[in-house]
Amino acid sequence: MKIQGVSHRSIEIIPGRKTVRILDQTVLPHALEWRELAGLADVVEAIKTMRVRGAPLIGATAAFGCFFALRDDPGDDMVARAYTELLATRPTAVNLRWALDRIRRVVVSQPPGARAEAAWAEAGAISEEDVRTNQAIGAHGLALLRGAARRKAPGSGPLQIMTHCNAGWLGCVDWGTALAPIYQAHDAGLEVHVWVSETRPRGQGASLTAWELGQHNVPHTLVVDNEAGHLAQRGLVDLMIVGADRVTARGDAANKIGTYLKALAARAHHLPFYVALPVSTIDWTMTDGIRDIPIEQRSGREVTHVAGIAGDGRREEVLITPAGTVARNDAFDVTPAEVITGLVTEHGVFEASAAGLGQLAEALGRTRPGTATT
Ligand code: MRU
């Protein structure tokens, strides 16, 4: 996707060097800062502090982290240490484990001297695949958007789409998951307008999705998270589409806190609610997402304080509660399969149910969910 008209990815290989740079998402949209990652510790820090975030991007970045670790020490102990340290950075997005498993599978079959090279090649492959995968998600999602646009009353304006958090190219290597169909629709001349929900407490909608859509000239309006019910009730939303951090074998979907309430609003007003995801976001080992998906608990300070840019251009963080207020900060919630209209994947759109995921598993040549482990 483009920044000021120039094509970029959220993680880029620095030409001629075996290293990568990331767009620091903690300072967007107020500053555009590329940061070079040069070692395992840099990658761990970048994921933990959310300089990089979004399920697919966390996985791709961690894969490069394995390369850095093995370049410095290709022994078995380091293979295990890199895996453990990176896996512990964030608990909910299963793409992290998926990418680490992939790298580990490749490197353990190599002699130590060949491991770093093998990890570099595999991390590059994960990144490239992510781009193609999201393009395919975009194409399948575009068909849904076209269908929804056809069902609208003639002359009733653009297709009104609501999204939450940032499931755009900043959360992936390129394109995005939930935003990929929107970009493709806009590029194809379909008239769309996006309701961008702020996404308290970290504000990924306000700071990242609004910025991304603006860079691509996609019409959008920022709303507070609590607008979803009101807008749906007034007939101002045609469809909702969000990303995911982990989807179980029966179709329960963990995504940014607030997703579940949007799905309930969609259900109450008979609106389609889609979850867009790559197959790497499916945890085939899990069925009951409400019971079993680990939900990241973040610092209450993210709730009690708000950060932004002051009039003089300085970044400021201000307290918005009585001093000492205790705040709980669940970073994700789980939307049960029964309120999801469909799962938009790179292989097509599937019902969010054990049967739907079973069909997907068959299309992938996997054993039926519940019987496989990775
Ligand atoms: O805490 P974050 O910003 O990493 O959460 C991101 C989300 O919830 C996204 O919707 C999800 O990871 C999909 S990104 C394509």
Side-chain angles (χ1 to χ4, degrees):
M1 302 305 288
K2 292 196 163 85
I3 303 175
Q4 288 150 12
V6 179
S7 285
H8 280 287
R9 288 179 176 183
S10 58
I11 186 165
E12 299 182 341
I13 291 174
I14 300 179
R17 294 176 48 204
K18 281 234 170 74
T19 188
V20 293
R21 61 178 200 165
I22 54 151
L23 191 54
D24 186 346
Q25 300 189 26
T26 61
V27 297
L28 276 173
H30 309 296
L32 206 59
E33 283 177 19
W34 290 93
R35 259 177 111 87
E36 183 174 336
L37 301 179
L40 174 61
D42 286 353
V43 173
V44 167
E45 191 269 351
I47 299 174
K48 269 193 180 156
T49 59
M50 297 175 66
R51 295 187 199 284
V52 287
R53 38 132 318 268
L57 179 59
I58 292 170
T61 310
F64 283 107
C66 293
F67 160 72
F68 294 130
L70 298 175
R71 182 196 55 192
D72 296 342
D73 170 2
D76 289 350
D77 287 353
M78 184 52 93
V79 173
R81 192 184 125 194
Y83 186 97
T84 309
E85 273 189 34
L86 287 162
L87 189 64
T89 51
R90 294 197 70 194
T92 304
V94 78
N95 307 62
L96 178 59
R97 187 182 77 199
W98 169 85
L100 292 173
D101 282 341
R102 223 174 118 162
I103 298 282
R104 186 170 60 179
R105 209 175 301 128
V106 166
V107 301
V108 292
S109 63
Q110 299 288 328
R115 283 178 178 171
E117 215 33 64
W120 176 260
E122 194 66 9
I126 287 172
S127 280
E128 291 303 323
E129 279 172 31
D130 183 73
V131 179
R132 290 195 297 273
T133 294
N134 297 329
Q135 223 169 345
I137 290 172
H140 292 297
L142 172 58
L144 294 175
L145 300 191
R146 284 194 198 281
R150 274 195 299 272
R151 286 189 293 277
K152 265 178 87 77
S156 61
L159 185 67
Q160 299 284 355
I161 304 166
M162 174 164 272
T163 191
H164 189 53
C165 193
N166 173 262
W169 69 270
L170 289 169
C172 300
V173 177
D174 207 347
W175 283 103
T177 54
L179 296 194
I182 296 172
Y183 288 129
Q184 293 189 18
H186 177 75
D187 292 350
L190 190 72
E191 228 193 317
V192 293
H193 168 265
V194 185
W195 295 111
V196 176
S197 62
E198 193 184 18
T199 318
R200 279 272 293 149
R202 286 192 66 104
Q204 290 94 327
S207 60
L208 304 177
T209 299
W211 181 76
E212 263 199 56
L213 292 173
Q215 290 292 324
H216 204 82
N217 296 318
V218 177
H220 62 280
T221 304
L222 181 68
V223 290
V224 297
D225 296 323
N226 289 334
E227 282 259 10
H230 173 72
L231 292 174
Q233 189 183 51
R234 302 282 156 125
L236 295 170
V237 181
D238 294 312
L239 161 156
M240 298 193 195
I241 185 163
V242 298
D245 287 80
R246 191 183 299 230
V247 171
T248 68
R250 74 171 186 199
D252 296 341
N255 191 50
K256 184 51 56 190
I257 192 78
T259 302
Y260 176 40
L261 270 178
K262 286 195 167 54
L264 291 180
R267 170 54 58 109
H269 296 285
H270 312 290
L271 299 175
F273 183 89
Y274 291 105
V275 177
L277 68 145
V279 164
S280 55
T281 299
I282 301 170
D283 187 342
W284 300 100
T285 69
M286 241 176 222
T287 306
D288 184 339
I290 293 132
R291 190 188 61 196
D292 294 334
I293 295 179
I295 301 294
E296 180 178 9
Q297 302 291 312
R298 295 189 63 88
S299 164
R301 192 179 166 88
E302 291 181 348
V303 181
T304 57
H305 289 67
V306 168
I309 290 292
D312 62 3
R314 273 182 313 110
R315 186 180 185 277
E316 261 186 33
E317 198 177 77
V318 294
L319 176 69
I320 57 165
T321 64
T325 297
V326 176
R328 180 180 165 120
N329 187 6
D330 296 283
F332 299 94
D333 60 25
V334 178
T335 300
E338 52 274 19
V339 293
I340 298 172
T341 309
L343 301 172
V344 187
T345 77
E346 66 271 39
H347 298 282
V349 182
F350 294 84
E351 190 181 272
S353 65
L357 270 294
Q359 279 167 4
L360 173 56
E362 265 162 30
L364 296 171
R366 293 180 59 96
T367 45
R368 297 287 291 198
T371 55
T373 53
T374 57

